[in-house]
């Protein structure tokens, strides 16, 4: 990257710092596609990586050309974002709504869980739940999909298992699990998880604007090994989640 682009990325990173984020304490399953041994792009600081992707590619380049032609409501805005859970420290999640109303970028961090002798129970299961509230023109319904997936690594002794579970649902409605997988020890590799191609849903109910909940959890269990240990770490590819918004008219 040349110096002009580097400077632009730095400025954009500063702008991301100034985004207003509301962080306060405030659930169908599909198999995930997993590539073991995969190497994701090198990890920079979360803001710098995100800024360089935005600046170098342009926000619209993060989505496919078909999205640019998708029909969207005349008015879409992000009312609030709330994060809660053992894996969501205060201020850990930020959100950017694309000006075209067709995608949301979540800037969040890694989830890590571990188990074994001397490891407290609280470290064995870690989760982060993000609650998004959108305001949009009445008469529309939407769903989201994750464009790039997750990357991670795990080290598990024989008999130790680790699970990854991503659930999306609208408050008061049934949910879906677009990413759900189990790793079994012995295991010591990097991996990439992606949503099944063409999997879209659930859609928001027509006639009511309800919050969208995205719950990501990692868990390590030593039930199959009295003396074994293990750990798992999960983070979005590029250090951010690019959520595509799928809109459809009601009625």
């Amino acid at each position: 990257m040349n110096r002009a682009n580097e400077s632009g990325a730095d400025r954009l990173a500063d702008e991301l710092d100034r985004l207003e984020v509301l962080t306060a304490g405030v659930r169908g399953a599909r198999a995930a596609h997993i590539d073991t041994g995969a190497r994701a792009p090198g990890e920079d600081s979360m803001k710098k990586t995100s800024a360089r992707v935005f600046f170098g590619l342009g926000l619209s380049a993060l989505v496919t050309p078909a999205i640019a032609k998708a029909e969207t409501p005349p008015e879409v805005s992000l009312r609030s974002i709330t994060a809660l859970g053992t894996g969501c420290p205060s201020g850990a999640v930020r959100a950017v709504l694309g000006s075209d109303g067709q995608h949301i970028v979540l800037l969040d961090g890694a989830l890590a869980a571990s188990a074994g002798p001397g490891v407290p129970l609280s470290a064995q299961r870690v989760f982060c739940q993000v609650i998004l509230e959108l305001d949009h023109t009445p008469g529309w319904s939407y769903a989201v999909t994750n464009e790039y997936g997750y990357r991670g690594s795990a080290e598990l002794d024989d008999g130790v298992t680790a699970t990854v579970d991503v659930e999306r649902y609208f408050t008061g409605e049934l949910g879906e699990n677009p990413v759900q997988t189990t790793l079994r020890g012995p295991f010591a590799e990097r991996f990439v998880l992606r949503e099944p191609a063409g999997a879209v849903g659930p859609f928001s109910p027509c006639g009511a604007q309800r919050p969208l909940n995205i719950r990501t959890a990692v868990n390590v269990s030593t039930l199959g090994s009295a003396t074994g240990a293990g750990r798992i770490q999960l983070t979005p590819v590029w250090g951010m989640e690019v959520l595509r918004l799928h809109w459809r008219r009601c009625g």
Side-chain angles (χ1 to χ4, degrees), residues 127-180:
F127 77 96
C128 179
Q129 183 160 338
V130 176
I131 305 171
L132 295 169
E133 290 192 85
L134 295 184
D135 287 326
H136 58 81
T137 305
W140 292 80
S141 176
Y142 74 92
V144 301
T145 54
N146 187 305
E147 290 285 88
Y148 296 105
Y150 305 87
R151 59 188 170 102
S153 63
E155 295 180 6
L156 309 170
D157 289 344
D158 189 20
V160 178
T161 61
T163 60
V164 177
D165 185 30
V166 178
E167 183 181 23
R168 288 196 292 258
Y169 67 98
F170 288 91
T171 300
E173 303 290 327
L174 294 176
E176 295 188 13
N177 299 72
V179 174
Q180 192 174 55

Side-chain angles (χ1 to χ4, degrees), residues 18-239:
R18 289 192 285 270
L19 288 172
E20 179 179 7
V21 182
L22 305 176
T23 341
V26 179
R27 206 201 104 116
R30 297 193 184 105
H33 174 64
I34 176 171
D35 294 331
T36 59
R39 293 185 177 271
E43 186 170 5
D44 197 349
S45 71
M46 185 171 66
K47 288 184 298 178
K48 295 294 185 181
T49 300
S50 303
R52 286 167 182 161
V53 171
F54 284 133
F55 190 82
L57 300 179
L59 193 55
S60 62
L62 292 174
V63 294
T64 64
I67 302 175
K69 300 178 181 179
E71 190 178 18
T72 60
E75 296 183 7
V76 183
S77 62
L78 178 61
R79 182 194 305 174
S80 68
I81 174 173
T82 301
L84 58 88
T86 54
C88 290
S90 179
V93 182
R94 302 184 177 193
V96 180
L97 174 65
S99 59
D100 56 6
Q102 295 175 36
H103 51 273
I104 297 173
V105 175
L106 296 180
L107 306 176
D108 47 19
L111 292 180
S114 59
V119 178
L121 289 175
S122 59
Q124 295 181 19
R125 183 170 181 82
V126 177
F127 77 96
C128 179
Q129 183 160 338
V130 176
I131 305 171
L132 295 169
E133 290 192 85
L134 295 184
D135 287 326
H136 58 81
T137 305
W140 292 80
S141 176
Y142 74 92
V144 301
T145 54
N146 187 305
E147 290 285 88
Y148 296 105
Y150 305 87
R151 59 188 170 102
S153 63
E155 295 180 6
L156 309 170
D157 289 344
D158 189 20
V160 178
T161 61
T163 60
V164 177
D165 185 30
V166 178
E167 183 181 23
R168 288 196 292 258
Y169 67 98
F170 288 91
T171 300
E173 303 290 327
L174 294 176
E176 295 188 13
N177 299 72
V179 174
Q180 192 174 55
T181 195
T182 299
L183 305 176
R184 304 183 186 279
F187 185 97
E189 296 184 54
R190 297 182 181 185
F191 59 87
V192 172
L193 293 171
R194 300 183 180 91
E195 296 184 12
V200 179
F203 275 85
S204 60
C206 289
Q209 295 190 12
R210 297 183 181 177
L212 170 64
N213 296 257
I214 304 174
R215 188 179 190 276
T216 306
V218 292
N219 177 66
V220 178
S221 172
T222 58
L223 291 178
S225 175
T227 59
R231 68 163 190 85
I232 187 171
Q233 179 169 304
L234 186 76
T235 189
V237 172
W238 294 110

